[in-house]
Amino acid sequence: MPEIHARLSASGAKRWMACPKSVAVEETLPESTSAYAEEGTKAHALAEKLLAIYKATGRKRFNEDELEDETSSEMLNNVYSYVDYIAEIYEGLMLEHKDTLLFVEVRVDFSRYVREGFGTCDCAIIANKTLHVIDLKYGKGVRVDCKENPQPRLYALGAIEMFDWEYPLEEVKTHIYQPRLDWVDTETNTVDFLRRWGEEEVKPKAELAWNDEGEFNPGEHCQFCKAKPICKARAKKALEALAKFAEEGGELDD
């Protein structure tokens, strides 16, 4: 598992693209973790290990001595389902294209669009001019959609930069796999579309965030922002909403 993170990470792209000023404020605050984050890290490490064994041997189930002692049966079963999902895609593609390639936990570089931008793609598969980028989400508190999600798109752009010189990629299919919510979502785009999106949408917003320019813009993307307890823009928006409710009268719904 990666030990360092990009300043403008793919996982935080939804936030910094919408609210570029949040980056500099977050950097003034101490790093923190949670039991949920540590659980997700552990699940990703287990998934990496099991996929590496699957890639080398074709096996999808493993002996206890091959796994960590503290791995819970719940986590193991959820990660097994992720391995099964990837195996289904990979083996199905192999039936039609014998030169299908499977990559596990591959570091990709999307600095063409985001200054010093890089990240780790959980899984990538290449078959017949199509790139599949698969992202494991282990959390169960928030369902993660794939459509218009900048995180898997940025991983895809990084993978395109890595592989396109050797493989004539034309299409990208991104996948979100969230086993604890029994949720799978996908999005398909052309390589040309993603490159335009990177140039026209991502690059200018990334420069604003890098240079601490632009505006504060509170919204749903505040959810995992470290700065939200001290953000004046977010507080102002909340107070304006409260004043609106007070003027209208009546009772608040849930």
Side-chain angles (χ1 to χ4, degrees):
M1 297 295 292
E3 297 295 332
I4 58 174
H5 300 279
R7 184 179 185 224
L8 299 182
S9 66
S11 60
K14 182 178 180 181
R15 173 181 50 78
W16 58 253
M17 286 180 67
C19 183
K21 295 285 284 185
S22 65
V23 174
V25 178
E26 276 204 321
E27 289 176 336
T28 67
L29 303 173
E31 291 292 334
S32 62
T33 187
S34 67
Y36 305 111
E38 292 171 2
E39 183 180 50
T41 298
K42 184 176 177 181
H44 275 79
L46 178 62
E48 178 184 6
K49 182 175 184 177
L50 300 194
L51 275 178
I53 297 174
Y54 165 72
K55 182 180 178 180
T57 67
R59 291 189 296 123
K60 304 174 196 174
R61 297 295 182 269
F62 310 95
N63 302 322
E64 289 185 7
D65 59 355
E66 296 176 284
L67 307 174
E68 299 294 336
D69 292 338
E70 64 270 20
T71 300
S72 68
S73 58
E74 179 194 9
M75 180 176 290
L76 184 59
N77 288 331
N78 282 314
V79 174
Y80 272 154
S81 71
Y82 169 68
V83 173
D84 289 342
Y85 179 74
I86 290 173
E88 182 179 0
I89 295 171
Y90 176 65
E91 292 170 11
L93 290 169
M94 281 288 289
L95 292 175
E96 300 179 17
H97 311 288
K98 295 301 182 183
D99 57 350
T100 296
L101 300 172
L102 172 65
F103 302 89
V104 179
E105 287 289 324
V106 58
R107 176 161 162 162
V108 295
D109 185 315
F110 47 86
S111 58
R112 176 176 173 178
Y113 309 96
V114 178
R115 195 183 304 192
E116 296 183 11
F118 64 89
T120 302
C121 177
D122 294 337
C123 180
I125 300 172
I126 296 176
N128 191 33
K129 300 183 180 181
T130 298
L131 167 69
H132 293 259
V133 171
I134 305 164
D135 194 25
L136 170 65
K137 298 296 185 187
Y138 195 70
K140 62 179 181 179
V142 179
R143 193 187 79 176
V144 181
D145 294 327
C146 192
K147 294 175 178 63
E148 299 185 1
N149 186 331
Q151 181 178 6
R153 284 186 178 187
L154 284 173
Y155 290 152
L157 284 172
I160 290 167
E161 291 297 302
M162 175 179 287
F163 298 122
D164 192 45
W165 67 274
E166 186 174 5
Y167 305 102
L169 299 171
E170 295 179 357
E171 184 179 75
V172 178
K173 187 170 184 178
T174 51
H175 307 241
I176 294 290
Y177 189 81
Q178 200 165 1
R180 297 167 84 190
L181 293 181
D182 194 26
W183 172 247
V184 179
D185 199 23
T186 63
E187 180 183 61
T188 302
N189 291 298
T190 65
V191 169
D192 288 344
F193 169 83
L194 285 176
R195 283 177 166 158
R196 287 197 306 273
W197 173 78
E199 289 288 345
E200 297 171 7
E201 292 291 326
V202 178
K203 185 180 283 189
K205 293 174 181 177
E207 281 300 297
L208 288 175
W210 185 273
N211 295 319
D212 190 23
E213 297 173 347
E215 303 292 335
F216 287 102
N217 179 34
E220 291 183 4
H221 47 270
C222 296
Q223 183 168 11
F224 298 111
C225 181
K226 291 192 299 181
K228 70 178 183 180
I230 61 171
C231 178
K232 288 184 178 180
R234 184 171 181 268
K236 180 181 178 181
K237 186 171 183 178
L239 292 171
E240 287 173 350
L242 180 62
K244 181 174 182 291
F245 279 120
E247 291 173 1
E248 293 176 352
E251 298 178 356
L252 299 177
D253 60 20
D254 290 340

